[in-house]
Amino acid sequence: ERPKTLVFGFTPYLPADQLRKEFSPLVEYVGAKIGIPTELRIASSYSELVRMIVNDEVHIAQLSPFNYVRAKAESPGLVLLATHIADGSATYSSYIVTREDSGITTIDQLRGKNFGFVDRQSCSGYLYPLAYLRGLGIEPERFFGTVQFVGNHTDLAKKVGDATLDAGATFATIYKLAKDTPFRILAKAGRIPYDAYCASSTLDPNFVEKLRD
């Protein structure tokens, strides 16, 4: 297939307006180079984007690492086009953070506190921090007072920043998203591969190579 309109799908790890501002230039650039119209769609959740690429509702998807593994299992013909380099690296960090003025300096001091994750399929906002906490013998639902899944990293930063949450799990980019909020890193939960930009298995192989170029 060579589509009449090339549809890009993005993971909602930031609010929709931020994602459109960040990725519209890329979508428009690729369309201009290929010579066909483009459309940018933002999934309603991490898992929704997997469904969209598996069901051929989008032609290119920006998948988080875990969702790439899930999508590849459901659609073996999915083609990995590229990942990206940011700050000189192909990987990024997962942090557990609190406000600088919270008085909290250790993970143990979070016992009984309000804690936030991003999404159950977010590597930096859930899976890696969950593995880190379990490595300490901590089960979030029993250790924290409350556990919230807030949906994206920007909202998590806001909730930690305004003290709605005492701490939360997020990615290192939080320092760029919330420059006015001083955060303290309580733990680093590991480094993670950046997102996978993938093409649908329904696309013509020659067209896919043009997209990759």
Side-chain angles (χ1 to χ4, degrees), residues 72-148:
K72 186 71 172 176
E74 293 188 41
S75 180
L78 192 70
V79 182
L80 177 63
L81 296 174
T83 186
H84 61 257
I85 303 296
D87 298 324
S89 178
T91 63
Y92 66 102
S93 293
S94 171
Y95 291 163
I96 294 175
V97 300
T98 186
R99 296 179 316 285
E100 187 68 41
D101 62 358
S102 68
I104 299 169
T105 58
T106 67
I107 294 293
D108 192 59
Q109 288 177 296
L110 293 176
R111 186 183 302 273
K113 302 292 187 180
N114 300 319
F115 192 87
F117 292 110
V118 173
D119 185 284
R120 291 185 186 276
Q121 294 177 23
S122 168
C123 285
S124 61
Y126 181 60
L127 295 171
Y128 275 58
L130 178 64
Y132 175 84
L133 292 169
R134 285 179 171 171
L136 299 177
I138 293 172
E139 283 296 332
E141 285 74 15
R142 294 198 292 267
F143 182 81
F144 301 118
T146 63
V147 174
Q148 296 182 32

Side-chain angles (χ1 to χ4, degrees), residues 20-86:
R20 290 189 182 278
K21 182 178 179 180
E22 182 166 336
F23 287 105
S24 288
L26 172 64
V27 171
E28 293 168 5
Y29 172 83
V30 173
K33 287 291 185 179
I34 296 295
I36 62 176
T38 55
E39 179 183 340
L40 189 159
R41 292 185 189 173
I42 299 169
S44 61
S45 66
Y46 282 62
S47 58
E48 173 72 3
L49 185 58
V50 174
R51 187 194 66 77
M52 290 167 71
I53 189 69
V54 169
N55 292 339
D56 303 321
E57 295 177 22
V58 298
H59 302 109
I60 297 177
Q62 173 229 24
L63 295 165
S64 64
F66 177 61
N67 273 347
Y68 169 68
V69 174
R70 288 186 59 225
K72 186 71 172 176
E74 293 188 41
S75 180
L78 192 70
V79 182
L80 177 63
L81 296 174
T83 186
H84 61 257
I85 303 296

